[in-house]
Amino acid sequence: MAKKKKAIRREWTKDEIKELKAHSKARTPVAKIAKMTKRTEGALRQKAIVLGIGLGHQR
């Protein structure tokens, strides 16, 4: 049975939140933001919900 990695939680800095809002406005794909910020897509989406902003393209 494979062992799971323990998730390492990192707090969001003011600069990271500002960057996330900028990507939201620019409609940057979530996968691209995830690679740049080294966070998961799920973490980005959850933070966007908390901030009340949209991420990626709107359907």
Side-chain angles (χ1 to χ4, degrees):
M1 197 158 127
K3 285 191 172 187
K4 284 190 174 183
K5 286 186 179 179
K6 175 112 171 113
I8 299 171
R9 294 180 53 105
R10 290 189 296 138
E11 293 297 319
W12 286 83
T13 64
K14 288 182 181 180
D15 289 336
E16 287 176 326
I17 292 171
K18 195 180 291 186
E19 185 181 356
L20 185 62
K21 287 181 179 181
H23 283 299
S24 171
K25 211 168 200 175
R27 300 264 192 255
T28 309
V30 180
K32 194 172 183 180
I33 303 170
K35 282 188 177 184
M36 292 186 322
T37 59
K38 294 188 173 93
R39 291 184 184 267
T40 63
E41 288 184 28
L44 293 169
R45 291 185 192 282
Q46 284 298 312
K47 190 61 177 179
I49 289 169
V50 170
L51 295 173
I53 58 175
L55 276 185
H57 64 81
Q58 307 301 320
R59 292 179 196 237

